[in-house]
Amino acid sequence: MLIEDEPEDFQKSSDFDDSDGSLTVSFSSSYEESEDDEEPESTSGLAVVENEIEGDFDRLVQDIRQRNDPSLAKDWDINIQDEEQAFKDDLRAAAGIGKRRKGKSRASGPALSQQVRSLIGDGNQAFVDSNLPEAIRIMQEVIRIEPRATSAWSVLAQCYEDMNQKDRALQLRIMAAHLSHDAEEWDRLAHESRNLGFNQQALYCYRKLYSLDPSNVDALWDRATLAKEIGELKIARQSFLSILKRFPHDLTVLSEIRPILVELGDLATCTTLFQNAFDHYKECFPSGSGPISGPPGTESTSSIVPGGGFSMINLLVLADLYNTVGEHDNAVQVIKTGSRWLQGRGDQKYWDLLEDDREFDPEGFQRVPQGTASTLGDSDTASTSKVTHTGSAGGPNNVGGRGTVEMQSGYFPLDVNARHRLAIARIKMGDVNEGMIHANVVLQEDALDYAPLFIEIADAYYERGMWAEAKPIYEILGTNSSTSSVYILLQIASCLRMLDELKDAAEIYEHVRLADPNNNDAKMKLAEIYEIMNEPRKALDLVYQVIDSRKRRTRDPSQANGSSATGNPSTSLFSEKNAKPSTQSRSNNQNRLTQAQLKQLEAEKEREVLRSYNRVVEIWAGMLKEREAAAKELETGMQASKTIMQHGAAPEGPVEREWMLEAEKLVDTFRETRNLFTAARHNPFRGMFPKRRTRRPKDSADLEADEDRMASRLQLDLQIERSSQKFSKTDGVDIFRGISFNNWLHMILQYCFILTRRDQYELADEILRHILLSNAYMTPEFQVSIRLALISCAIEMHHFPVVVEQCRKLISSNQFNNEMYRLLLASLSSGLRPTDSFITSTLQKFFFREMKLSDVAVKDRELLKWNVALKRWAPILPSTLSSGGRKDRDKDKDKDLDKDLGDDPGEEDSDEAGGGAGGTDTTDRPALPTKDNPLTVAIYGQMCIAAKSYQSAIFYLLHAYDYCPDDAMVSLSLAIASIGRAMQRQSDNRHHLIAQGMAFLSKYRTLHAANPAHLSEVEYNFGRTFQQLGLHSHAVNHYERVLQMADKQGDNNFAKEAAYNLSLIYVLTGASPLAELLYRRWLSL
């Protein structure tokens, strides 16, 4: 029978029941997973949609028949999240589709038998006679015989409607709607479901409505707003994105979707949407204003508004997004170009040529002209505000007679909120001096009105390690009760601690502890300060308080999970509550392997790895012989040339192919092991199954471990006088799956080198950078080896920016070690691309800091301290490094040096001091230099030469000459810089510079006179100098001597260069036959 009392098992989510019978209808998530709505524009497309909707109904009936259940009492519970995948397909198919044609595309419903038609007639008559129980019984019988009889569902729904059971009637109408394919009916059902509070059911109806009528944007809007209200953010996100496909750059939709994307963490999509809208409005309204566009379906207003509706608030949103994702350069660009556009100055694009923000300098602010200083560290290459300018816009001003034009400040107004974003971006990207200009303007406002802006500026200073600048801002906020908070007080205390004002910091932490006795973070910070101040008893007392608080902390059991099960059953087709029971985690625990099973699996993997590694070692020699044999076969012949051009080397043989396959498996095994790449990078690898001391919850394990370690350390401090034993630490393991880490690294490097030779440099670079992060290779020796491998691969493929990056890291980690500087010079030997990488602004600033740091270490080493976090010697304060520690220096020069020091490359290996205090262990510290280092100064001077900043080059090279007057390379560099400066039109002492250059060149020849191997080099450099000066007769003599030495001694190092330069002189003077002889003798293959 169709009518049957509903069993108690279904009371949890039953749909409806009565004393005479029950009819429960619901959906299984599997009924919707296969949906893939096509375009319903054509008749065939609409038929596909209708067939898929009817497929839900057919699957339902088939399931009931398979269960041989005479009743329809099945718990259909659609999971709305599972429905979304099919709905996304609908949205993708719906983009750009017009409204579907009215009317049904085909006849609905099957052909009914005579028995069914008779029953339907009887049911209709019973309904007309107001015999509702009989009508319900007959229509249920009709549904049992032919579930696709639409009229039976409709009459049954009307019966329950008349019985004032609207929720059950609504449920039956939804079943009938699957067969009628009427979009307007789905719309009515969605609104009724929403009015009755069945929100998940309403979302389902809106989805069916949109699948039938993709042009119905109102349905998408209603679905999106409903999903947003009930917290279904992913559904709301997809619906709003679909609306944006039809109405791109609509600001109303953007304002609705922005908090959703932020909540979901999809900042990249949010940033892209606002950036595209910004570009669109700039293109549509180049003047910066226009009529605002109304919402979809309405007319635009005629009033002129800034940006055509894309106002300053939208610019601030976009800038905040860029700052949040770390793209601070884009944030600066958005604020500058957007503000300029809104002010109607969009055509003044010349401001973009400047790297600073002088366009929006505050009124009355005067910038220091660049390039006027003459002390150590002043370089025209470090100037970032000069442009080559031929017009007069912006007030160009000639500076220092150097041929460059400096733009005057624009003094254009800038909204305080926009200036705040600009300050944050500048500070976080490392352009601190520029950011401080804007920050000071913002800080002049009332702290009560702009407290959030003050906090963000202070936080930016704090994150940058500029505690002296952050502390006054926090103090301003902390002195007012309306802006003060525990967070502000803790930040003030932290700044004081970083500035070594420990007593003041302890007072603030104590104040916070008394005001909030449960603030364990403040207690631990205070304990750390007491430990530094050598008051271990106070510190230990605080740590014990924190440990006792943690032990007394009670964990609440599951909160009211069973309330939903015992409440009134819902008649919605969906589970209207989003809370998931804990059965998922319970099932995961049941499927988890035991410790013994894991160890057995690890043993099998170890045996497999050993087999592969032994095979790799075994065939390595055979692979090398195979490559040598293949290379010999390709030495001659046209086919060999073609093969080399195609492959770049000998083609891959079978042995090499096997080696690469085995090595690839080993490398993937190593990289996929999570224990080798833990978050705590400085902890050594302790094996696949390290022993655990305690069993604590993972969410508080780190915090509890810190508390216990600190308590143990303080106890030792009280018992003995600073014992060398601090706390136990598990020793590291140097073997992984039977192979030592040295052998692992050797095999990985071989694999990456072969990948590079096979033009798979990107993969090799990715592997090496990943291995660099492994806990197994945290020691300096391993780090240097991997970085050298990265440099080797980059040199092979001419990726010189990578060479510079890795050499910088080696220099930073090996402070005061000249070998790292020589490695950089050797890696960037010659060529245009290496030269471009050699003179990049970031590398120049890096060398400038290293050069001044070395200078301070020699002259005022007491101004340096050991930074534990960076493992480098660093200045106590940034201003110390800027002044070089020389108290008698002119204050104006100090300001220039401060400005140069503020430049930061913005990379992860930035060498600014911060985040660490002086440690007690001195065994791993590099020794401070005791005399001036000519190498760093000479390299910086050579950078200036390569950048054609000869005047600055002379300044630094003269310092290097003072430090080491007998170095031939310094003398040669000074000669090149002097003559290069003499050839510039700005030079006013041309003859003196030429004489100076020839003097240094003569000194260079004298230093090399004792070594015959350098005679050809000396002659070539003299010839090149005379050729540059236009003294061709002298140049010819020296070039001919180089060629004579090459003929007699076989020294061809400079022969081709000399022959080429000599041929240029011959061609210029009309001696073409002599040039042709040089071509045939020296320059022909």
Side-chain angles (χ1 to χ4, degrees), residues 497-685:
R497 177 187 174 181
M498 293 301 180
L499 296 173
D500 292 334
E501 300 178 21
L502 299 180
K503 292 184 178 180
D504 295 337
E507 291 179 2
I508 296 179
Y509 279 128
E510 186 68 27
H511 177 72
V512 174
R513 185 182 70 85
L514 295 176
D516 185 8
N518 296 325
N519 195 322
N520 291 337
D521 184 38
K523 294 180 182 179
M524 290 299 298
K525 296 292 185 182
L526 183 57
E528 293 174 4
I529 292 180
Y530 281 148
E531 183 183 12
I532 297 173
M533 296 172 63
N534 198 21
E535 298 184 15
R537 293 188 180 276
K538 293 182 178 180
L540 186 60
D541 180 62
L542 291 171
V543 174
Y544 280 154
Q545 292 181 23
V546 174
I547 294 176
D548 293 340
S549 174
R550 180 233 306 169
K551 292 180 178 179
R552 290 195 307 267
R553 190 183 306 135
T554 58
R555 295 177 175 84
D556 295 335
S558 58
Q559 298 178 355
N561 285 337
S563 59
S564 60
T566 59
N568 294 330
S570 171
T571 55
S572 170
L573 295 178
F574 296 84
S575 175
E576 294 295 340
K577 296 192 176 181
N578 296 325
K580 295 288 184 182
S582 60
T583 56
Q584 180 74 19
S585 60
R586 191 181 304 116
S587 62
N588 290 340
N589 292 333
Q590 293 175 354
N591 295 330
R592 187 171 299 169
L593 296 176
T594 63
Q595 189 78 356
Q597 291 173 328
L598 288 174
K599 290 185 177 180
Q600 182 180 1
L601 180 61
E602 174 63 22
E604 294 177 359
K605 291 184 177 180
E606 180 174 338
R607 288 192 293 269
E608 182 180 352
V609 165
L610 285 174
R611 284 195 299 268
S612 297
Y613 180 75
N614 292 333
R615 182 58 180 165
V616 164
V617 174
E618 179 183 350
I619 65 177
W620 172 256
M623 184 191 73
L624 294 180
K625 293 180 180 179
E626 181 184 66
R627 290 186 64 87
E628 292 175 0
K632 290 180 180 179
E633 294 178 359
L634 296 175
E635 286 181 355
T636 57
M638 184 62 66
Q639 184 63 32
S641 301
K642 293 182 179 179
T643 305
I644 293 176
M645 292 177 64
Q646 293 175 359
H647 299 280
E652 179 185 83
V655 181
E656 180 178 348
R657 189 179 302 112
E658 181 184 359
W659 192 94
M660 290 296 291
L661 290 175
E662 295 293 339
E664 181 181 6
K665 290 190 294 185
L666 290 172
V667 173
D668 291 342
T669 298
F670 189 92
R671 297 180 65 193
E672 291 170 358
T673 305
R674 296 181 59 184
N675 287 19
L676 293 171
F677 299 90
T678 59
R681 291 182 53 194
H682 296 286
N683 290 342
F685 176 67

Side-chain angles (χ1 to χ4, degrees), residues 73-99:
K74 173 176 170 54
D75 182 17
W76 288 351
D77 186 12
I78 290 184
N79 188 336
I80 195 64
Q81 286 80 8
D82 295 339
E83 293 289 317
E84 277 312 296
Q85 185 59 41
F87 183 63
K88 291 177 183 177
D89 298 335
D90 299 341
L91 298 179
R92 283 192 292 268
I97 302 303
K99 195 169 184 178

Side-chain angles (χ1 to χ4, degrees), residues 391 404 833 910 1080:
T404 56
R833 294 172 64 185
S910 176
R1080 295 182 180 277

Side-chain angles (χ1 to χ4, degrees), residues 142-160:
V142 172
I143 292 173
R144 187 187 67 81
I145 299 173
E146 179 50 74
R148 295 173 62 86
T150 308
S151 58
W153 292 99
S154 300
V155 172
L156 195 58
Q158 189 61 44
C159 290
Y160 281 104

Side-chain angles (χ1 to χ4, degrees), residues 787-932:
R787 294 193 188 280
L788 289 176
L790 281 165
I791 294 173
S792 302
C793 294
I795 292 175
E796 175 69 18
M797 301 305 295
H798 305 290
H799 284 259
F800 295 103
V802 177
V803 175
V804 172
E805 173 195 355
Q806 298 304 322
C807 287
R808 280 191 54 181
K809 294 180 184 297
L810 288 174
I811 294 172
S812 298
S813 58
N814 297 271
Q815 198 173 19
F816 307 130
N817 188 339
N818 286 346
E819 295 304 318
M820 299 299 111
Y821 297 113
R822 295 188 177 97
L823 174 64
L824 173 65
L825 296 178
S827 302
L828 302 176
S829 55
S830 63
L832 294 178
R833 294 172 64 185
T835 303
D836 290 339
S837 299
F838 184 63
I839 62 175
T840 55
S841 60
T842 53
L843 186 60
Q844 290 184 45
K845 295 172 186 177
F846 173 77
F847 264 94
F848 191 69
R849 288 195 304 272
E850 293 295 308
M851 178 178 61
K852 292 202 291 186
L853 187 64
S854 178
D855 184 64
V856 173
V858 173
K859 295 179 173 60
D860 294 294
R861 63 175 57 197
E862 69 276 2
L863 298 179
L864 298 181
K865 69 174 182 179
W866 177 252
N867 191 301
V868 179
L870 298 177
K871 295 183 179 180
R872 284 173 53 87
W873 288 100
I876 297 177
L877 293 175
S879 57
T880 302
L881 181 58
S882 65
S883 61
R886 274 157 272 190
K887 309 290 189 305
D888 56 348
R889 188 172 291 241
D890 188 18
K891 293 183 179 180
D892 293 336
K893 297 180 180 179
D894 288 345
K895 293 181 180 179
D896 292 336
L897 290 173
D898 285 337
K899 189 168 186 178
D900 288 332
L901 181 63
D903 297 328
D904 189 272
E907 299 183 7
E908 63 274 15
D909 60 333
S910 176
D911 309 302
E912 299 288 342
T920 58
D921 188 9
T922 61
T923 57
D924 58 345
R925 299 182 187 180
L928 287 172
T930 58
K931 58 182 180 180
D932 293 304

Side-chain angles (χ1 to χ4, degrees), residues 60-69 71-72 76:
L60 164 66
V61 175
Q62 182 65 24
D63 183 71
I64 295 173
R65 289 174 175 171
Q66 288 177 355
R67 290 187 292 108
N68 294 323
D69 191 350
S71 77
L72 295 180
W76 288 351

